Amino acid sequence: MKNRWLVTLLLVCTAAVGPRMIAGPDVPGEAVNTIRAETIKAQMYFLSADALGGRDSGSHEGRIAANYIAADFMRLGLKPVGDNGTYFQNFDLVKARLDKENTSLRSTIHGVEKTFQIDHDFFYFYTEGNRSIDTTGPLEFLGYGINAPEYGYNDFNGVNLHGKIAMTLSREPQASDADSKFKGRWDTIHSYFWLKAEQVRKAGASALLIVKENTPRRPRRVASAPTDSEAGPWTQDALAGSLWDIPIFVIIPEVANELLAPSGKTIESLQASIDRTLQPQSFEVADVTVSARKALKDIRVIPTRNVVGLLEGSDPKLKDEAAVVSAHYDHVGTQGGRIYHGADDNASGVIAVMDVAEAFVEGNVRPKRSVLFIAYEAEERALLGSGYYIEHPIVPLQKTVANLNMDMIGRDETSATWSTTADQNGNSVNIVGSLYSPDLRRIIERSNQKIGLKLDFKTDGNDPENWFARSDHFWFATKSVPMVLFNTGEHPDYHTENDTWDRIDYPKMEKIVRLIFLTTEQLTDSGPRPAFTP
């Protein structure tokens, strides 16, 4: 009965978004009207239905969602640029569970051994490779673990990390200082784990210890129902390959100071000195050996895929360049018997991808540059789908004009961090990451003159909720590609079973999707490409 109902619903929603008798407008101002709240609602009803089970990464229901998106790309006549002439870019997802009993952190200081307690002294960082590893080596204090040539700062300079256990501070030098040499209170790409851990691994370290911050950056969020992390334990997901494939533990400052004791220094004094002088202070800690063991169980490999379709440009000289319009289609599935529907997060973004493509095709808008439409898998599992794409790009990154990424664009922000309520944000959308491309910001602002949304750039001044690193646009920033995230912020239903189709603000979402279409059209005309500002 469930399958019969699902087929019926799929047919209903396909009919709702199927070809319509449109006169074929030839200007973007008319084509934008093909984006309609009624269509968005029908698509949302399907993608966040109970039968889709929350679209967990690598799940059967997730594959149904991917097929639905691919079918829409096929209907529109987008070029299949995935593997073997399909709309799918395939990759393997490795799932496992942490074996806590056999995961350990130990030290030997002046010949004296000590074993630290998991979930008290140290915490397993869920984002890392899925291979059990047991390693022992000398301890290297590596400052913030950052190499930022644009700021003349490099913790790796003169350091040989091969076979060592690296210890780093969280974030970046002078973080939260409005006069920081980096970008004031706003954290740059170097602050975030996604880049930091991989640079440490590539430099040869056999494990990474990240010192936990003492002070939370944001108030505790009050959810409307149990969140996915409260409902049940997640699996540990990773890409098949070497990405982050070392033991990575978060340690409390007290443990960091125990390990640093032979040097006569503390984590607090080292951080203060680096922040004051902006001079790296990396050093090997004498007479200290650290053993880090991560143990995994129930390991299995699941084939999965991103969904990709290309609208080819009309200009022979420019069609090799492309704007990337993207969102992730996965959510967190069913946990503890609760279906996490993922309407706002992120059926809303995927629908924007599909409807922007439809506006180009049914609106008869022929961009000079190409547009690559991507629906990523496994964003909720540490940006893995976009992480795979960025290392296997379909459009070469040097030919990628910009990335417009959408993640949660269907609600009104209610946030203790910003002391805002939903009624204050009824016509607002956050634009995240434009500090890296003022040119792109100007294009968005110009496009918005026809839409009339309030564009909120607050996270470009301070980003305590870490939106800049919480979605798939982040990888493009690490490759110096202009990018932004369109987002309407957190709300009490975020990552709960209450993120449902009937709570979406459809008229507002219609306006946001129209803005994204007009911005994409501007990016793909014959004007100059937006620059990336390091």
Side-chain angles (χ1 to χ4, degrees):
M1 286 296 294
K2 179 179 176 182
N3 289 339
R4 187 180 304 165
W5 178 88
L6 185 60
V7 170
T8 302
L9 181 57
L10 179 59
L11 291 173
V12 168
C13 288
T14 302
V17 300
R20 297 186 292 273
M21 297 302 294
I22 293 177
D26 58 1
V27 294
E30 297 176 22
V32 76
N33 294 323
T34 67
I35 297 168
R36 302 200 297 258
E38 295 85 355
T39 302
I40 293 171
K41 182 181 288 188
Q43 295 165 308
M44 184 69 70
Y45 184 71
F46 176 75
L47 283 170
S48 59
D50 284 359
L52 267 288
R55 308 184 307 278
D56 197 7
S57 300
S59 69
H60 173 68
E61 293 85 359
R63 294 187 72 83
I64 291 171
N67 288 342
Y68 176 76
I69 299 162
D72 202 58
F73 287 178
M74 185 185 301
R75 175 181 68 84
L76 294 172
L78 300 185
K79 183 177 180 180
V81 288
D83 298 332
N84 304 314
T86 69
Y87 290 101
F88 301 114
Q89 182 185 47
N90 302 304
F91 62 94
D92 286 337
L93 196 63
V94 183
K95 287 182 173 284
R97 294 191 183 276
L98 178 65
D99 181 357
K100 279 193 178 184
E101 292 183 358
N102 291 299
T103 294
S104 62
L105 179 65
R106 304 186 305 276
S107 68
T108 302
I109 303 176
H110 295 315
V112 179
E113 295 185 1
K114 179 170 182 177
T115 298
F116 297 101
Q117 182 180 344
I118 193 169
D119 294 336
H120 182 271
D121 300 320
F122 75 100
F123 304 87
Y124 182 77
F125 204 103
Y126 80 96
T127 302
E128 48 191 275
N130 267 346
R131 184 167 59 96
S132 295
I133 298 175
D134 192 347
T135 184
T136 299
L139 179 67
E140 179 84 21
F141 175 72
L142 194 65
Y144 283 92
I146 285 174
N147 178 13
E150 68 271 34
Y151 299 114
Y153 183 91
N154 185 5
D155 286 312
F156 294 82
N157 189 35
V159 174
N160 179 2
L161 273 182
H162 287 276
K164 294 181 180 179
I165 311 298
M167 178 198 294
T168 72
L169 294 157
S170 299
R171 300 178 68 191
E172 63 192 16
Q174 299 179 337
S176 300
D177 183 346
D179 298 320
S180 165
K181 181 179 178 179
F182 282 61
K183 279 188 182 289
R185 291 190 177 93
W186 191 79
D187 287 4
T188 71
I189 59 173
H190 305 288
S191 177
Y192 294 104
F193 163 83
W194 318 119
L195 183 63
K196 185 180 294 192
E198 185 63 0
Q199 288 182 329
V200 169
R201 183 193 68 82
K202 287 181 176 179
S206 60
L208 172 61
L209 308 179
I210 304 173
V211 182
K212 184 181 180 182
E213 287 186 278
N214 272 326
T215 306
R217 296 188 65 199
R218 54 175 297 189
R220 183 178 179 273
R221 186 176 71 87
V222 179
S224 66
T227 64
D228 55 313
S229 58
E230 295 169 323
W234 277 24
T235 57
Q236 159 79 31
D237 289 14
L239 291 177
S242 57
L243 181 69
W244 304 322
D245 196 19
I246 55 175
I248 302 168
F249 298 150
V250 175
I251 60 173
I252 62 175
E254 291 80 0
V255 170
N257 285 331
E258 282 190 53
L259 297 175
L260 288 169
S263 72
K265 300 176 182 180
T266 67
I267 202 70
E268 294 82 9
S269 66
L270 286 165
Q271 182 170 15
S273 179
I274 296 172
D275 288 353
R276 184 180 66 254
T277 65
L278 274 181
Q279 296 299 313
Q281 298 198 22
S282 303
F283 64 95
E284 183 177 325
V285 185
D287 297 320
V288 176
T289 300
V290 174
S291 297
R293 182 185 186 189
K294 68 168 179 174
L296 301 168
K297 58 185 178 181
D298 303 330
I299 298 174
R300 54 199 174 104
V301 178
I302 298 177
T304 190
R305 61 265 177 95
N306 296 324
V307 188
V308 290
L310 184 74
L311 179 65
E312 285 193 292
S314 60
D315 188 308
K317 294 182 179 179
L318 294 175
K319 69 178 183 179
D320 287 343
E321 300 177 2
V324 173
V325 177
S326 65
H328 71 92
Y329 68 84
D330 66 295
H331 193 52
V332 298
T334 300
Q335 307 283 343
R338 301 174 185 268
I339 300 174
Y340 290 82
H341 300 88
D344 189 31
D345 186 15
N346 185 35
S348 66
V350 170
I351 290 166
V353 171
M354 294 191 292
D355 289 5
V356 169
E358 184 173 52
F360 272 103
V361 173
E362 295 202 8
N364 196 30
V365 178
R366 300 192 63 204
K368 292 180 172 60
R369 294 184 173 98
S370 298
V371 187
L372 179 63
F373 297 95
I374 308 179
Y376 296 114
E377 160 73 306
E379 186 271 354
E380 298 288 1
R381 307 299 180 148
L383 318 185
L384 294 180
S386 55
Y388 182 85
Y389 175 84
I390 212 72
E391 296 300 331
H392 305 86
I394 290 168
V395 174
L397 296 177
Q398 64 271 24
K399 295 285 189 180
T400 302
V401 175
N403 172 224
L404 304 180
N405 187 52
M406 290 80 72
D407 199 343
M408 297 171 58
I409 58 169
R411 295 285 295 268
D412 298 326
E413 185 172 60
T414 301
S415 170
T417 304
W418 303 107
S419 299
T420 57
T421 58
D423 60 336
Q424 295 172 310
N425 296 288
N427 193 48
S428 180
V429 59
N430 298 320
I431 311 295
V432 181
S434 69
L435 275 179
Y436 277 106
S437 184
D439 291 345
L440 184 51
R441 172 172 174 163
R442 283 189 286 271
I443 292 171
I444 295 168
E445 290 174 325
R446 186 164 62 246
S447 299
N448 189 52
Q449 292 174 6
K450 298 179 181 179
I451 302 298
L453 285 159
K454 176 191 173 186
L455 305 182
D456 195 333
F457 296 93
K458 62 177 177 285
T459 59
D460 281 352
N462 189 21
D463 188 17
E465 294 180 349
N466 292 338
W467 279 112
F468 178 70
R470 281 171 61 178
S471 194
D472 301 298
H473 59 286
F474 180 80
W475 290 122
F476 288 86
T478 68
K479 301 295 185 179
S480 300
V481 176
M483 46 71 245
V484 292
L485 168 68
F486 292 83
N487 166 271
T488 51
E490 287 189 4
H491 45 77
D493 299 333
Y494 170 68
H495 274 232
T496 75
E497 61 193 311
N498 295 328
D499 182 10
T500 52
W501 72 275
D502 54 318
R503 301 190 182 200
I504 298 296
D505 185 340
Y506 291 102
K508 173 179 173 177
M509 187 172 158
E510 175 188 272
K511 294 174 72 173
I512 295 171
V513 179
R514 289 182 174 194
L515 171 61
I516 294 162
F517 165 71
L518 291 175
T519 302
T520 308
E521 191 278 329
Q522 288 290 308
L523 284 170
T524 53
D525 68 13
S526 57
R529 293 172 52 167
F532 183 88
T533 304

